[in-house]
Amino acid sequence: MLNEFKKINNTRQQRKYLDKLALQIRKTEMTDQLAHEIMELDAYLSENGYYKLYDGIFEDVVENTKLFYLEKEIQKQEEQLNDSQKQKLESFCEFAFDQEKMAELVIGSNSLCIQSKNLPDLDTLKKSRMQAKYAILQAIQKNESIQLKKGRRTIKKI
């Protein structure tokens, strides 16, 4: 991908290439190799001032690739949990993601919005939940306090 992009010296053609590439990637199953190439191209684009070129479809591909990596990291870390920790993670996530309206995850002094009816699409909801699950996982491993809040009210606490 990177070599192909470097061959193009016309901004309009670069934009076209990235859009076609993004559409092609969306139809392809994500693999480690593909994710690596996407991130390599993204790094090159960012470092060389092309970021304005791909603020459309290709930017979504990069976000999905980051989620792919996050999902793999979550799976890897879940394997390291003991049974009690796995049970805590599953029950807390199930409860947290089943709540309606706005919900806030508070881990130590950090806060993360994990649910809202105002989220624009399913991809954003998936990203929000994946980030929340990763934060919960990290907190369980570090034995930190975790709270699920709605407004000022604490709904669930570990």
Side-chain angles (χ1 to χ4, degrees), residues 78-95:
E78 278 182 332
E79 292 171 3
Q80 297 172 358
L81 296 177
N82 63 37
D83 289 340
S84 170
Q85 290 172 320
K86 284 180 185 177
Q87 191 174 23
K88 273 185 190 177
L89 176 67
E90 286 176 26
S91 69
F92 196 86
C93 285
E94 184 178 317
F95 183 83

Side-chain angles (χ1 to χ4, degrees), residues 20-30 34:
K20 284 181 181 179
L21 181 63
L23 292 172
Q24 186 179 1
I25 289 171
R26 283 183 170 177
K27 296 176 186 175
T28 307
E29 185 177 338
M30 187 63 71
L34 179 59

Side-chain angles (χ1 to χ4, degrees), residues 64-84:
N64 287 336
T65 304
K66 289 177 182 176
L67 286 178
F68 171 77
Y69 278 125
L70 181 59
E71 195 168 21
K72 287 186 69 142
E73 182 62 25
I74 288 171
Q75 289 172 352
K76 188 170 86 175
Q77 289 194 17
E78 278 182 332
E79 292 171 3
Q80 297 172 358
L81 296 177
N82 63 37
D83 289 340
S84 170

Side-chain angles (χ1 to χ4, degrees), residues 26-55:
R26 283 183 170 177
K27 296 176 186 175
T28 307
E29 185 177 338
M30 187 63 71
T31 63
D32 287 332
Q33 178 63 33
L34 179 59
H36 174 74
E37 287 185 36
I38 291 168
M39 296 312 294
E40 184 179 64
L41 180 56
D42 177 54
Y44 175 81
L45 294 172
S46 295
E47 290 168 8
N48 293 289
Y50 290 106
Y51 58 90
K52 290 182 182 175
L53 265 182
Y54 69 99
D55 60 352

Side-chain angles (χ1 to χ4, degrees), residues 98-104 115 148-155:
D98 190 40
Q99 298 299 309
E100 290 186 25
K101 295 185 182 172
M102 181 75 86
E104 178 186 13
Q115 196 159 309
L148 180 68
K149 291 186 168 194
K150 274 191 182 178
R152 294 181 180 195
R153 196 178 67 161
T154 299
I155 302 171

Side-chain angles (χ1 to χ4, degrees), residues 9 11 36 50 68 89 118 121 133 148 156:
N9 58 8
T11 304
H36 174 74
Y50 290 106
F68 171 77
L89 176 67
N118 301 333
D121 56 37
K133 185 173 184 177
L148 180 68
K156 189 165 177 84

